[in-house]
Amino acid sequence: MRQNPARRTALLDAAIDVLARDGSRGLTLRAIDAAASVPTGTATNYFRDRDDLLGQVMRRTRERLAPDPAVVERTMRAPRDAKLVAELMRQLVDRMRADRASNLAMLELRLEATRRAALGDELGGFLTAEHTELIDFHLGAGLPGDRIGVALLYFAMSGLLLDDLTLPAIPDQYRTDELVATLVARVLSAPR
Amino acid sequence: MRQNPARRTALLDAAIDVLARDGSRGLTLRAIDAAASVPTGTATNYFRDRDDLLGQVMRRTRERLAPDPAVVERTMRAPRDAKLVAELMRQLVDRMRADRASNLAMLELRLEATRRAALGDELGGFLTAEHTELIDFHLGAGLPGDRIGVALLYFAMSGLLLDDLTLPAIPDQYRTDELVATLVARVLSAPR
DNA sequence: TTCTGACCACTGCAAGCGCAGTGCTTTAGC
DNA sequence: GCTAAAGCACTGCGCTTGCAGTGGTCAGAA
């Protein structure tokens, strides 16, 4: 097993591209080699088997999709109101649109996770942790809304991003800004 | 090209099972034959090529996931309030959970549609039509909420169903009924 | 008898994997 | 600064797997 971290990352990024372009069906060690412009057989030296590969790809996509802490810090200087939440959501959408490949790869991995127990456990662990963190961050930062409201926000954003990625014809009918602003305003409103 | 409709449907249902079990990666004509318990080579006689197959599979999943008109009719006898919308949403979730295979197949098809233009157009047409119908039905039936509210409801349910399908650990943290009821109450509330 | 679909066997093709072998580069030890 | 050793990049090959497609036979219905 080779250790060169730069090369490993390059291979993983290539794998994400392949996954986005050709799907799980097209993801082979040779295809990764080609996408990364390295000699045939290189990927074989870096990944034990498909499970190992998918696990590493998953971790890499998490890295790539994570928000820049500096940007978060800067954004969070604003007052804790719905406008700020909407801004955070808009940044989320922008981030996802800017790295469409990682997002598509994540979807492929989600599906793959339904049939590979090991991957499912790992992905499940990561995403539930992320989900919990999101809620804790939101409530801890004093942003408006209750626990269930934040969860609903999360689900709605998931759905929006799913369509944005795979069937843009639907979200394209709306103005994203308006959609997000309305969603935040309503879903985080106090229960009556 | 063979015409026997019963056999064709059986093959398509088998294809949906294969798609759910093994993903796009595992979907081959031979795999369909095996899953449908018909002799090797049969599926070849029913599908011109992969595009043709995927298109037919897509149409079949739409059929399988469509609500029973009788149930809808019965449900719609109730007064037009948020409770009724919540009930409709709950029925949606139940319907999706009852046919997990079709749903997973649809997700696979969504991803496949991002790389096959023909499938993308077809799927896009179907789903945008469905989305428009949903909104028209909702508003036409005098259910509470405005256009954007219904769209948000749609996105949130998509997200919820996506997680329910691929990462149940997250939605399992909540009571579905409560989630749906709260979502409906808030997202369809009149703008202030 | 004729037509349609079911069934089956065979061929040919393509792709991927894993491995082994070679040569280069870097590091460590002295 | 030299030498030895280890790690890594690169290459090619053999093997296996698995699929698509074709053509031909058989059975049943019109």
Side-chain angles (χ1 to χ4, degrees):
Chain A
M1 185 76 45
R2 303 299 151 84
Q3 294 309 333
N4 184 335
R7 209 171 178 86
R8 180 173 298 270
T9 305
L11 288 170
L12 289 173
D13 285 339
I16 289 172
D17 287 343
V18 172
L19 218 40
R21 179 166 30 89
D22 302 324
S24 180
R25 190 175 167 74
L27 186 68
T28 66
L29 296 177
R30 302 301 149 112
I32 297 175
D33 291 335
S37 302
V38 297
T40 308
T42 304
T44 311
N45 295 325
Y46 281 83
F47 309 107
R48 206 178 325 110
D49 52 27
R50 199 174 172 80
D51 271 302
D52 184 37
L53 167 64
L54 291 174
Q56 292 191 40
V57 168
M58 192 209 78
R59 271 169 256 135
R60 177 64 184 152
T61 59
R62 300 322 303 160
E63 274 177 36
R64 281 177 50 166
L65 292 175
D68 178 351
V71 173
V72 175
E73 193 273 331
R74 202 171 333 122
T75 309
M76 290 305 289
R77 287 183 199 153
R80 301 332 200 210
D81 55 15
K83 205 166 141 241
L84 173 56
V85 179
E87 172 59 24
L88 288 169
M89 293 302 111
R90 250 177 260 120
Q91 288 184 6
L92 172 66
V93 173
D94 288 344
R95 209 161 62 235
M96 297 298 161
R97 283 184 179 158
D99 193 355
R100 195 178 141 79
S102 288
N103 244 313
L104 278 171
M106 270 304 292
L107 271 180
E108 292 281 356
L109 289 173
R110 267 182 186 251
L111 284 170
E112 199 73 20
T114 63
R115 32 195 123 88
R116 288 174 187 264
L119 187 63
D121 290 346
E122 196 171 5
L123 187 60
F126 268 81
L127 292 192
T128 50
E130 210 162 276
H131 181 251
T132 309
E133 269 167 38
L134 176 83
I135 293 184
D136 291 346
F137 171 83
H138 191 108
L139 299 179
L143 290 165
D146 53 356
R147 182 168 295 270
I148 199 168
V150 182
L152 290 172
L153 188 57
Y154 161 88
F155 289 122
M157 292 304 296
S158 286
L160 182 57
L161 290 170
L162 173 65
D163 272 8
D164 193 71
L165 216 57
T166 61
L167 273 181
I170 294 178
D172 280 357
Q173 295 172 15
Y174 306 91
R175 286 188 26 243
T176 306
D177 282 2
E178 189 188 356
L179 224 43
V180 169
T182 311
L183 173 66
V184 169
R186 295 192 189 173
V187 96
L188 298 184
S189 66
R192 323 147 175 248
Chain B
M1 186 74 47
R2 302 298 151 79
Q3 290 312 330
N4 185 333
R7 209 169 177 85
R8 181 175 296 272
T9 305
L11 288 170
L12 289 173
D13 285 339
I16 289 172
D17 286 343
V18 172
L19 219 39
R21 180 165 29 89
D22 301 325
S24 179
R25 190 177 167 72
L27 186 68
T28 66
L29 295 178
R30 302 301 149 107
I32 296 175
D33 292 334
S37 301
V38 298
T40 307
T42 305
T44 311
N45 296 324
Y46 282 83
F47 310 107
R48 206 178 326 112
D49 51 28
R50 199 174 172 84
D51 272 301
D52 184 38
L53 167 64
L54 292 174
Q56 291 190 42
V57 168
M58 194 209 77
R59 271 169 254 136
R60 177 64 183 153
T61 58
R62 301 321 304 160
E63 274 176 37
R64 282 177 50 167
L65 291 175
D68 179 351
V71 173
V72 174
E73 193 274 330
R74 204 173 330 123
T75 309
M76 291 304 289
R77 285 181 202 156
R80 299 336 199 207
D81 55 14
K83 204 166 143 242
L84 173 56
V85 180
E87 173 59 23
L88 288 169
M89 293 302 111
R90 249 177 260 120
Q91 288 183 7
L92 172 67
V93 173
D94 288 344
R95 208 160 64 237
M96 298 297 160
R97 283 185 178 156
D99 192 354
R100 195 178 141 79
S102 288
N103 245 313
L104 279 172
M106 272 302 293
L107 271 180
E108 293 281 357
L109 289 173
R110 268 182 185 252
L111 285 170
E112 200 72 19
T114 62
R115 31 195 124 87
R116 289 174 186 265
L119 187 63
D121 290 346
E122 196 172 5
L123 186 60
F126 268 82
L127 292 192
T128 50
E130 209 163 275
H131 181 251
T132 309
E133 269 167 38
L134 176 83
I135 293 185
D136 291 346
F137 170 82
H138 190 107
L139 299 179
L143 291 165
D146 53 357
R147 184 169 293 270
I148 199 168
V150 182
L152 290 172
L153 188 58
Y154 161 87
F155 289 121
M157 292 305 295
S158 285
L160 182 58
L161 289 170
L162 172 65
D163 272 7
D164 193 71
L165 216 56
T166 60
L167 273 180
I170 294 178
D172 280 358
Q173 295 171 15
Y174 305 91
R175 286 187 28 242
T176 306
D177 282 1
E178 190 189 354
L179 225 40
V180 168
T182 310
L183 173 66
V184 169
R186 295 193 189 174
V187 96
L188 297 184
S189 66
R192 327 151 173 240

